[in-house]
Amino acid sequence: MSDLATPHQTPAPEPVRSGSARLLPALLKLLALLALLYIFLLSISLFGAAFKLAGKEFAKQLIATTTNPVIGLMIGLLATSLIQSSSSTTSIVVGMVAGGALTVQGAIPIVMGANIGTSVTNTMVSNTQINRKVEYERAVSTAFVHDFFNVLAVLILFPLQYVTNFLGRAATFLGENFQNIGGLNFLSPVKAFTKPLVEVLRALIGDHPWFLLIIALFCLLFALTRMVKSLKFLVVAKAEAWFDRYLFKTAVRAFLVGLLLTAMVQSSSITTSLAVPMAAGGLLTLAQIFPYTLGANIGTTVTAILAALVTGNLSAIIVAFSHLLFNISG
């Protein structure tokens, strides 16, 4: 009887967690994810800076020495692999065509090769998940979507271009109509955020691009191995439903997300590499990533088109539109 009447043995109710208490861990994880995303984007920018410092002049020499379409294709691939940006390669090509160092016929195969070269980055990114079987399979599959699309597009369209010059003809028509509209200065928010730190590191390291490359590789590995964990924590049912319902609900939406995001950051390497940890974390499927990749391929042509319009040179504009038409045809 006394035991039943003892008040202190009555189990105390569990404290009810307030909304702010529940929200705080998720908010901290989100902030951590944003910080990791910045480190990831910084690493991509550092890769570009390191390869440009080490190999940009070499890439220019390779581009200038092209003599036939097959060699041009290989040079575009190698040059883009060196500087990790098809936008940079096509911008170099546009500048050289505008300066008379390259013909339009010689430039178009280089642009095709650049499309294959740009897929090197996300393939490298996918290998960061190699110690996790399930995540690695998803990540590699995501990277190969971009690789296979670009390779197959070149295998089919390169012979057609060689025989018919259909890209040159269509791009000439567009170039003649757009030649005199002038260029626009377009600010990449990624470059605006990462460029100051990249410049500081370049100033500290000096003429030693390989040290910059090591820092970039460390940042890439650090960011990506932790991004997957953060994404897993944040990707609850509501987040998955939000992605499926809005951004990637249909192929058209996924395509537009890829196009607009790449046009904003001016690098398909960045946007396609971003899909790798998202796929590894189970956030996106290959069916959703494919149209996203197609959109990214078209969005990456914006940089060269703007650069060509700034020059006002008809041949340069034709090359830039050839890149756009190649990706659309693919």
Side-chain angles (χ1 to χ4, degrees):
M1 182 70 69
S2 61
D3 289 340
L4 292 174
T6 305
H8 70 269
Q9 290 189 350
T10 304
E14 292 186 8
V16 179
R17 297 181 67 187
S18 65
S20 58
R22 291 194 302 268
L23 185 62
L24 186 59
L27 184 59
L28 291 174
K29 284 285 185 181
L30 180 60
L31 291 174
L33 180 61
L34 291 175
L36 291 170
L37 181 60
Y38 176 81
I39 295 171
F40 169 75
L41 296 175
L42 176 67
S43 71
I44 298 295
S45 298
L46 287 172
F47 268 116
F51 278 113
K52 285 174 186 177
L53 197 61
K56 192 169 185 178
E57 291 303 317
F58 179 54
K60 284 184 177 179
Q61 291 174 13
L62 285 175
I63 290 171
T65 55
T66 180
T67 55
N68 67 58
V70 176
I71 291 176
L73 186 73
M74 295 298 105
I75 286 174
L77 194 162
L78 180 56
T80 305
S81 299
L82 282 172
I83 61 178
Q84 293 290 293
S85 173
S86 62
S87 297
S88 296
T89 302
T90 51
S91 294
I92 291 171
V93 171
V94 163
M96 298 185 76
V97 170
L102 268 179
T103 64
V104 173
Q105 289 289 95
I108 292 176
I110 297 175
V111 170
M112 289 185 172
N115 262 40
I116 299 177
T118 195
S119 61
V120 170
T121 305
N122 60 344
T123 304
M124 281 170 37
V125 167
S126 67
N127 287 319
T128 60
Q129 306 298 325
I130 197 166
N131 60 334
R132 300 179 182 87
K133 184 178 179 181
V134 176
E135 285 98 339
Y136 181 62
E137 183 178 350
R138 292 172 183 164
V140 170
S141 300
T142 302
F144 282 174
V145 166
H146 194 202
D147 298 349
F148 287 147
F149 169 76
N150 285 327
V151 171
L152 290 173
V154 169
L155 285 176
I156 294 170
L157 297 177
F158 180 75
L160 290 176
Q161 166 61 22
Y162 182 78
V163 173
T164 66
N165 190 31
F166 77 100
L167 290 175
R169 294 172 189 272
T172 299
F173 172 77
L174 289 175
E176 289 173 348
N177 285 281
F178 283 89
Q179 181 181 7
N180 297 316
I181 71 168
L184 299 172
N185 291 322
F186 189 77
L187 175 67
S188 166
V190 171
K191 290 179 181 177
F193 282 116
T194 60
K195 187 176 180 179
L197 188 51
V198 171
E199 292 299 322
V200 169
L201 289 173
R202 283 185 62 176
L204 290 173
I205 292 169
D207 296 327
H208 301 287
W210 302 114
F211 287 114
L212 202 63
L213 189 62
I214 291 170
I215 294 173
L217 184 60
F218 175 79
C219 290
L220 180 71
L221 294 172
F222 175 81
L224 284 174
T225 52
R226 284 158 178 79
M227 276 175 68
V228 172
K229 293 180 181 178
S230 296
L231 283 169
K232 280 183 177 178
F233 179 86
L234 292 170
V235 179
V236 292
K238 289 182 180 179
E240 289 179 337
W242 185 79
F243 267 83
D244 290 336
R245 189 177 304 165
Y246 298 103
L247 292 184
F248 291 87
K249 183 179 181 180
T250 66
V252 174
R253 287 186 188 179
F255 174 84
L256 290 175
V257 169
L259 193 157
L260 294 174
L261 187 58
T262 307
M264 285 176 62
V265 301
Q266 300 181 29
S267 172
S268 61
S269 297
I270 289 177
T271 49
T272 55
S273 295
L274 276 174
V276 171
M278 294 170 76
L283 182 59
L284 297 176
T285 65
L286 289 181
Q288 293 170 314
I289 287 167
F290 179 66
Y292 171 81
T293 301
L294 301 188
N297 268 20
I298 294 177
T300 195
T301 63
V302 170
T303 307
I305 290 173
L306 293 175
L309 292 175
V310 168
T311 68
N313 181 282
L314 178 59
S315 297
I317 295 170
I318 290 171
V319 171
F321 276 117
S322 297
H323 191 198
L324 173 65
L325 292 172
F326 169 71
N327 282 324
I328 292 174
S329 300

